[in-house]
Amino acid sequence: MSPVKGSPKRFRVVPQEQGSTLRNLLVRRVGGLDRDRAAALIRAGGVYVNRLRVRLPQVLVAAGERVTVYLEALDAEPLAPERVVFVHRDDDFVILDKPAGVPVTPTRETAVGCLSEALIHKLESEGVSRPYVGVVHRLDRGASGLILFTVRGVANKSLHKQFRDHEIRRGYRIRARSESGQASAAAFSCDAPLIKLREGGVEIGGASDSRAKSAVTHFRHLAELPPLAGPEAGGPEHLLDVELETGRTHQIRAHAAHLGFPVVGDRRYGRGAVPSAAPSAAPSHLCLHAWTLDFAHPRTGEAQHFESVLPEWARVPASER
């Protein structure tokens, strides 16, 4: 009998189970798991003891500990090596071009299939023993583009400081719909504060709300284009270049939607950016691409500039240049 996926399974270790291995505990307490599948589930990052993700099947449990199991981890697929695309690498950091739909870091359910895990496996395959990979910043799972990782601890400290001090410049390109049907101005900004929600995502907050954090986003209009999904999908779409002064969760998406230009493919903030009856040509991913990255080298201080290849949906047509 196969285990049933769905809500996480939670239970406490009882006194009689004191000293059991985590693998054997799962075999006893989770229906449908044999020793091999229990070990695979743990290695995939689908099991927590108290609040700590544990990935060693032989770990011993203690009475009273809380165990949380995400069976979805059994279905997680590793990221194919050819999808780990290096834009730059040196002894201090690497820059990867993240595919749309791939998380940067482990999700709640599993560590398998994320970009940071794939980078670790890539380095291990090259002979690096116990590689260090530091995450400097993140990018929404549905988005694509440049992601910066450190591969030395000292570089991590320097680059995190640059990120905190807003000295790392990230340029984005989005494709957005105009809810009003009107073209955007050549350049415009949004400074609406954002409130991070407990259930995930953000909402626009009032200036007097103590939960609201300042956020500033600048947009520059590049071109007006027909909808990717065809004329029946609605009005025109717009290519916009975006720069952030702050780096809040979902900032670009929330600000773009707040201004009436939801990002195409955004099912959280889009309010209809993807019509329910959209034809197969409609994008199945978020039309948000991180395409430029500027910062100082963590060791030499030399200015660094990187660009990724723009996806087809993000390119300005020759007639608009």
Side-chain angles (χ1 to χ4, degrees):
M1 177 180 174
S2 298
V4 179
K5 312 296 191 301
S7 300
K9 300 183 181 300
R10 296 185 172 93
F11 56 87
R12 283 189 181 271
V13 180
V14 299
Q16 301 94 306
E17 295 166 330
Q18 171 87 23
S20 296
T21 65
L22 184 58
R23 175 179 58 190
N24 290 342
L25 177 71
L26 294 188
V27 171
R28 284 195 298 270
R29 299 290 292 270
V30 181
L33 287 181
D34 58 21
R35 285 169 57 86
D36 289 342
R37 286 171 64 76
L41 179 62
I42 296 165
R43 292 192 182 100
V47 181
Y48 294 76
V49 177
N50 295 325
R51 296 189 176 184
L52 178 66
R53 171 177 265 143
V54 177
R55 301 186 67 180
L56 295 174
Q58 65 270 30
V59 162
L60 303 181
V61 298
E65 289 182 321
R66 299 185 306 275
V67 178
T68 304
V69 180
Y70 291 92
L71 292 169
E72 294 88 340
L74 285 169
D75 298 326
E77 295 287 341
L79 192 65
E82 62 270 16
R83 302 189 73 193
V84 182
V85 179
F86 287 88
V87 175
H88 175 84
R89 63 187 300 182
D90 67 19
D91 292 338
D92 297 284
F93 63 88
V94 301
I95 296 175
L96 301 183
D97 202 341
K98 185 185 92 65
V102 175
V104 173
T105 55
T107 64
R108 179 180 57 184
E109 296 80 9
T110 181
V112 174
C114 71
L115 200 60
S116 59
E117 183 94 345
L119 176 57
I120 290 171
H121 291 321
K122 173 68 174 176
L123 296 175
E124 287 175 338
S125 72
E126 295 177 351
V128 180
S129 177
R130 301 181 66 183
Y132 172 89
V133 169
V135 179
V136 178
H137 63 101
R138 288 168 171 79
L139 187 61
D140 295 345
R141 180 174 187 157
S144 57
L146 301 179
I147 290 289
L148 170 64
F149 294 97
T150 55
V151 289
R152 293 178 70 232
V154 290
N156 198 54
K157 182 177 179 180
S158 170
L159 287 170
H160 268 289
K161 183 178 186 305
Q162 291 185 53
F163 188 78
R164 286 196 311 271
D165 295 343
H166 309 299
E167 295 172 353
I168 294 180
R169 294 186 60 193
R170 294 171 289 161
Y172 300 84
R173 183 160 295 180
I174 64 172
R175 188 167 182 136
R177 282 182 57 245
S178 171
E179 291 187 326
S180 67
Q182 300 297 313
S184 69
F188 53 101
S189 299
C190 183
D191 61 359
L194 298 174
I195 298 172
K196 192 169 184 178
L197 304 176
R198 291 184 62 183
E199 62 271 23
V202 296
E203 66 180 9
I204 302 297
S208 60
D209 194 321
S210 61
R211 300 172 300 160
K213 303 294 184 182
S214 62
V216 181
T217 311
H218 303 293
F219 300 86
R220 183 168 65 91
H221 188 266
L222 300 173
E224 181 176 308
L225 304 170
L228 286 173
E232 62 270 39
E237 294 173 354
H238 302 269
L239 285 184
L240 305 170
D241 271 349
V242 186
E243 282 200 16
L244 302 178
E245 284 192 19
T246 52
R248 307 297 181 194
T249 299
H250 295 178
Q251 179 176 324
I252 294 174
R253 297 161 61 187
H255 273 179
H258 180 63
L259 295 177
F261 289 92
V263 177
V264 172
D266 192 343
R267 290 168 172 79
R268 181 186 288 269
Y269 304 100
R271 299 194 299 273
V274 182
S276 59
S280 59
S284 59
H285 57 80
L286 191 67
C287 287
L288 189 160
H289 185 74
W291 77 292
T292 65
L293 190 58
D294 293 87
F295 56 92
H297 193 286
R299 185 163 36 82
T300 68
E302 184 178 353
Q304 307 288 300
H305 173 76
F306 302 97
E307 295 185 6
S308 75
V309 176
L310 288 168
E312 189 64 35
W313 62 258
R315 298 175 189 173
V316 178
S319 59
E320 298 283 341
R321 294 172 190 162

